[in-house]
Amino acid sequence: TKLATKQSLEAAARDYEKMLARDDNAVDGPSARVLGNLAETYMMLGRMEESLDTYREALRNAGDTSTWYGYAVALDRDENPRQAIEIIRSLGREQHEAFKTSISPGGSTFFVPEGEKFYYFALSDEAFGFDEQAIDNWQKYIESGAHPEFQPRAKAHRDALLTRKKRRAIPIEPPWPELFR
């Protein structure tokens, strides 16, 4: 998975599928971590329907914050941004901060390529109304060149936030100033 080429991602998907086939008989069901990794791999391969289905299965087995965020990103990339934002908001700000901490050096979550993390940061910042941070993270994602197939979504998010920021900056003059004195 860390090689991030189409060929290596396809090989990783086959490996995760084999791991799950061996894990099916486990008492507590398939490994949520392997399911989450497979869902992410499917997403990177553009297999969005399989990605979403696999994320749902992972969440039924044990949904940590990074799996929920992965599911939200997959939804967003599958043109369901409202649902993605609602999922992130439902987890709360505390989980937003915990997720960011899990990605810091020494944390338990990694992204391939490294720039992919900025998509997650940007979407979660946007969900909580941290528009400046979201714009910055969307820009970092775009500049990273990570997953070119998802760049248009990132640009659309960034541009919408920039437009909203610009609209807020336009001063509004009341039509009858004498009434507002």
Side-chain angles (χ1 to χ4, degrees):
T1 305
K2 288 185 177 183
L3 297 175
T5 65
K6 183 171 172 60
Q7 184 179 11
S8 63
L9 289 169
E10 288 170 347
R14 286 190 300 274
D15 287 346
Y16 289 135
E17 289 163 350
K18 288 176 188 174
M19 292 168 81
L20 290 171
R22 287 194 317 256
D23 203 27
D24 260 355
N25 297 323
V27 175
D28 57 352
S31 165
R33 182 174 297 272
V34 174
L35 283 165
N37 289 345
L38 178 58
E40 180 75 17
T41 303
Y42 284 154
M43 181 170 37
M44 295 306 110
L45 289 168
R47 295 163 59 179
M48 297 309 292
E49 190 171 322
E50 291 169 283
S51 175
L52 291 167
D53 288 344
T54 306
Y55 268 121
R56 287 181 196 110
E57 187 176 350
L59 292 167
R60 280 191 294 274
N61 285 295
D64 65 355
T65 301
S66 66
T67 304
W68 279 106
Y69 274 43
Y71 180 54
V73 166
L75 285 166
D76 182 71
R77 289 174 170 174
D78 197 44
E79 305 292 331
N80 292 300
R82 282 193 177 138
Q83 191 176 3
I85 295 290
E86 287 306 314
I87 285 170
I88 292 170
R89 283 183 187 151
S90 73
L91 295 170
R93 285 188 180 186
E94 186 176 298
Q95 290 304 310
H96 170 75
E97 292 306 317
F99 176 72
K100 284 188 171 186
T101 300
S102 77
I103 296 167
S104 63
S108 61
T109 306
F110 67 91
F111 287 93
V112 177
E114 178 78 13
E116 174 73 353
K117 69 184 178 186
F118 296 115
Y119 199 107
Y120 285 67
F121 289 162
L123 189 63
S124 64
D125 286 338
E126 188 174 332
F128 290 107
F130 304 138
D131 291 357
E132 289 297 323
Q133 295 97 313
I135 291 167
D136 184 53
N137 281 314
W138 286 124
Q139 189 61 39
K140 285 177 181 175
Y141 175 78
I142 293 163
E143 289 172 1
S144 78
H147 303 294
E149 66 274 27
F150 302 125
Q151 294 288 325
R153 288 287 308 138
K155 289 175 183 175
H157 277 283
R158 181 205 57 199
D159 293 348
L161 289 170
L162 286 170
T163 298
R164 185 164 69 197
K165 178 181 173 182
K166 186 177 176 181
R167 283 188 188 139
R168 287 183 187 155
I170 298 172
I172 299 173
E173 294 293 325
W176 302 282
E178 63 277 357
L179 294 176
F180 295 97
R181 288 184 191 176

